[in-house]
Amino acid sequence: MTVIGLGAMGRALAGAFLDSGHPTTVWNRTAGKGGELTERGATEAATAAEAVAASPVVVICVLDYDAVREVLGAPARNVPEGSGAPGTVTGLLAGRTLVNLTNGTPRQARELARWASEQGADYLDGGIMAVPPMIGSPGSLILCSGSPETFTAHERTLSALGTVSHLGEDAGRAALYDIALLSAMYGMFGGFFQAVAMVGSEKVPATEFTPLVVSWLEAMLTSLPEMAKAYDANDHSATASNLGMQAEAFVNLLDAGRDQGVSTELLEPMGALLHRGVAANRGDDDLSALIDLLRTNPARGANARSNDAGSE
Ligand code: FVH
């Protein structure tokens, strides 16, 4: 096993492979980050090429896709074929499996999968739904996509990192789920920050208030499956708290924020969306009707609606 990239995540990945007994070669752009891993038995390669040549499976986890392309010698997007930097690993990938666990977009994943295939490499893309200390535990979820045969061949090895889940042949699917889950997470964090800043404006300690936030959010989470059902069925009529009422009440969130000296920058987009919902005659619908308004290209995807034209 080779691990390229020894940031916080790459070190955790390499450590988990070592813990599972896999001989592991590591490489990082800036030398000096492999010390603890070599003490535990890893081999530190002098170059990326040496690291790739060392193993049939190469896991890469660096900052972003530009870094991935730089390390692998893959031309940057929109640069003509064959313009990879000299001295790169490009020619060495044939016959190996490249597992890219770097965060990126579905488009970036699909483009890199195409490039890897041109190099004669098998490719899996992955999204890590965990922070470094979780790696190696069952709570660490590794979403994978790409060839099912390639996944099956390496599933056991990859399970050293946590619970691995294959989402299908399309290399972009893992990134799509990863980005969607992170979007949900940041929405939740944003709400929490706003709540803590609000009570903090009257000196309520965050630690005192947070248990209430947690139980409130847990109660609200139970409504998500019903919202999902409404979205899939394109029927948002069942509602105890219609969108029009919520648009009215939401004004209070903004006014109270201003009164308390708390920025409303995180709330304003939701307020604007609620009012767009009312303007689109969705006031009697459930809040879940807002999901339709978020799609800027309604013709795209499995949930395209016949009545979308009116919602833009
Ligand atoms: N850490 C986390 O909580 C999250 C959890 C979910 C997944 N993300 C993604 O994992 C990727 C790596 O994240 P990281 O935590 O390891 O990030 P850093 O500690 O900042 O390390 C970055 C590594 O990337 C290397 N690097 C950056 N640019 C280049 C480049 N042009 N060429 C080669 N390597 C590059 C950097 O090398 P160096 O600066 O030490 O030389 C580090 O090894 C990331 O996609 C997260 O979104 C982590």
Side-chain angles (χ1 to χ4, degrees), residues 6-9 28-30 33 62-63 67 70-71 103 128 130 132:
L6 297 179
M9 187 51 85
N28 191 61
R29 175 183 63 173
T30 308
K33 288 195 178 174
V62 288
L63 188 64
E70 198 177 319
V71 171
N103 184 269
I128 304 175

Side-chain angles (χ1 to χ4, degrees), residues 133-206:
M134 293 167 68
I135 297 298
S137 71
S140 150
L141 174 63
I142 313 292
L143 302 173
C144 290
S145 54
S147 146
E149 293 77 21
T150 306
F151 176 75
T152 302
H154 302 293
E155 180 175 6
R156 220 163 140 215
T157 309
L158 293 174
S159 66
L161 306 177
T163 304
V164 288
S165 170
H166 185 243
L167 300 175
E169 181 134 29
D170 171 12
R173 185 53 67 102
L176 180 72
Y177 275 41
D178 185 345
I179 295 290
L181 290 172
L182 291 177
S183 302
M185 179 192 79
Y186 281 113
M188 179 194 70
F189 284 152
F192 172 64
F193 298 160
Q194 188 74 25
V196 168
M198 279 299 284
V199 296
S201 72
E202 302 214 352
K203 301 206 176 351
V204 177

Side-chain angles (χ1 to χ4, degrees), residues 52-70:
V52 169
S55 313
V57 181
V58 177
V59 171
I60 185 163
C61 185
V62 288
L63 188 64
D64 55 24
Y65 270 68
D66 285 347
V68 172
R69 287 179 168 274
E70 198 177 319

Side-chain angles (χ1 to χ4, degrees), residues 253-272:
L253 274 64
L254 301 170
D255 286 346
R258 290 183 200 107
D259 288 350
Q260 298 293 133
V262 174
S263 168
T264 56
E265 64 197 305
L266 288 173
L267 294 176
E268 275 158 30
M270 183 57 104

